[in-house]
Amino acid sequence: MTSARQPRTARLYFAAALALAASLLVAHLARADAGPASAGTARLAALAGDVTAADGHRYDARDDTGRTMDAAQIEQAQDGRYLAVYHTLLADGRFHAAVATSTDLRHWQRRQRSPTTAAAATSSPMRRTPATTSPCGRTRTPPRCSRAAPGTPSTRRAPCRAAPRAPPASPRCAARPSSSPGTDRQLRATLTGFRHWHAEPDRRLDRAVRSRGNGGNIGDRAPVELGGQRVVLIEGQGRRGDFGTWSTYAYDPPSGRADRLDIRTHGGSRAFANPSATLLTDPRGEPALLMSLFVPAEGSAPGESGQLLYWRELGK
């Protein structure tokens, strides 16, 4: 009987040792993953993580006509003014794109003429209506990797120009196709000679966001360079159809890892979508990082739903 117990006891000890080793490995991986993916993502988290510490902010940003500035993307003109491209859901049930200007990042004057590229630069933060226009106002329609939707395009690497004879480079396009109806995923595409598109799914970026527990849409993305390192802001939805589960992530291309930005607002809003970031000179004349996020009503604190703009000076 003693000899019969020994193998059983050995198996029990072996199983216990395996369980302990597994728990130690998980703890080690958790500790390794606790740090930022890169110096760039760490810097972004430090600058963008706390709205209450920002050098300036505005919740529920609207233009001077009262229209909401949903999914606003902001740049600075050479004369120092700030330019915003955004859209608003009006009573006709359609999203209308517009441009506004500002001198202080808080008060915006809508300009009557909308840009030809405005509709392509934004997507609906309330209803995921796919964009059908080109990322360049006069180039051909971007490719589709799904019959469900072409997604939301954005361009990089080269400027958009109207049918140039000899383009200096071929721009790359990041769009958001649907892997299944109503579920958005990432796409990369290259335009050659402003005539031919080559598209493929960006599975690496998808995996990075999905590994953070996002089973819903993976949507808007926007690059920013901090300290010589490129970081991509991207949104991920925890549960499909639940707008209160949108989060914003800082994706590090070299490591292929996405870190969730734990954004703190004055009231404690918990959902953030349609991220973009811009390096500019703030109203005080200091270099700053401007963040633009949409706060869905489902995940917002009182008075904080709508477009959130805030900026932090880089010297802090």
Side-chain angles (χ1 to χ4, degrees):
M1 294 179 63
T2 302
S3 61
R5 286 197 198 96
Q6 287 177 345
R8 186 181 306 168
T9 303
R11 286 196 297 270
L12 291 175
Y13 279 126
F14 183 68
L18 282 178
L20 177 61
S23 64
L24 290 174
L25 177 61
V26 170
H28 173 74
L29 291 175
R31 286 195 299 272
D33 196 48
S38 70
T41 60
R43 181 65 170 149
L44 181 61
L47 290 169
D50 192 351
V51 183
T52 68
D55 293 288
H57 71 274
R58 180 175 177 182
Y59 293 100
D60 190 23
R62 295 171 181 259
D63 62 29
D64 60 335
T65 68
R67 291 188 179 186
T68 60
M69 297 176 61
D70 302 335
Q73 296 190 20
I74 296 170
E75 297 291 341
Q76 190 167 24
Q78 291 184 351
D79 63 5
R81 289 185 303 167
Y82 307 104
L83 309 175
V85 178
Y86 56 97
H87 66 212
T88 308
L89 179 63
L90 298 183
D92 61 3
R94 301 170 58 191
F95 289 94
H96 293 255
V99 167
T101 61
S102 173
T103 58
D104 63 4
L105 293 172
R106 290 187 176 92
H107 303 91
W108 296 88
Q109 292 74 47
R110 181 166 67 90
R111 303 307 174 186
Q112 295 303 314
R113 175 174 291 184
S114 299
T116 57
T117 58
T122 59
S123 68
S124 166
M126 292 161 286
R127 263 190 339 195
R128 293 286 155 176
T129 305
T132 56
T133 53
S134 167
C136 306
R138 298 181 184 179
T139 63
R140 298 189 178 189
T141 303
R144 297 178 61 164
C145 286
S146 166
R147 294 181 180 179
T152 304
S154 64
T155 57
R156 60 182 184 273
R157 297 283 181 91
C160 295
R161 299 178 181 175
R165 293 183 179 179
S170 294
R172 294 174 63 84
C173 169
R176 201 180 71 217
S178 294
S179 57
S180 62
T183 303
D184 296 334
R185 292 293 181 261
Q186 296 298 300
L187 156 70
R188 287 194 311 264
T190 302
L191 176 62
T192 304
F194 282 79
R195 292 180 180 274
H196 306 289
W197 286 98
H198 173 72
E200 60 185 0
D202 193 342
R203 303 190 192 281
R204 192 166 184 256
L205 182 51
D206 283 339
R207 282 196 301 268
V209 180
R210 293 184 67 185
S211 70
R212 294 300 184 181
N214 293 289
N217 292 333
I218 301 173
D220 279 0
R221 89 299 307 153
V224 64
E225 187 170 301
L226 292 170
Q229 291 189 316
R230 185 172 180 270
V231 180
V232 178
L233 282 165
I234 186 165
E235 60 177 356
Q237 186 182 36
R239 294 183 298 275
R240 178 177 168 182
D242 186 349
F243 289 95
T245 64
W246 281 104
S247 296
T248 293
Y249 298 85
Y251 173 70
D252 175 51
S255 68
R257 206 180 92 191
D259 293 339
R260 183 176 181 271
L261 293 181
D262 293 319
I263 299 170
R264 177 187 175 192
T265 67
H266 293 76
S269 294
R270 55 183 175 79
F272 305 95
N274 296 98
S276 68
T278 308
L279 294 173
L280 45 68
T281 301
D282 73 4
R284 298 200 325 163
E286 298 294 331
L289 173 73
L290 172 80
M291 292 290 296
S292 178
L293 300 169
F294 185 82
V295 183
E298 294 86 340
S300 67
E304 292 187 353
S305 64
Q307 195 65 27
L308 167 61
L309 306 177
Y310 63 103
W311 60 96
R312 188 81 182 271
E313 293 177 359
L314 299 179
K316 297 183 178 180

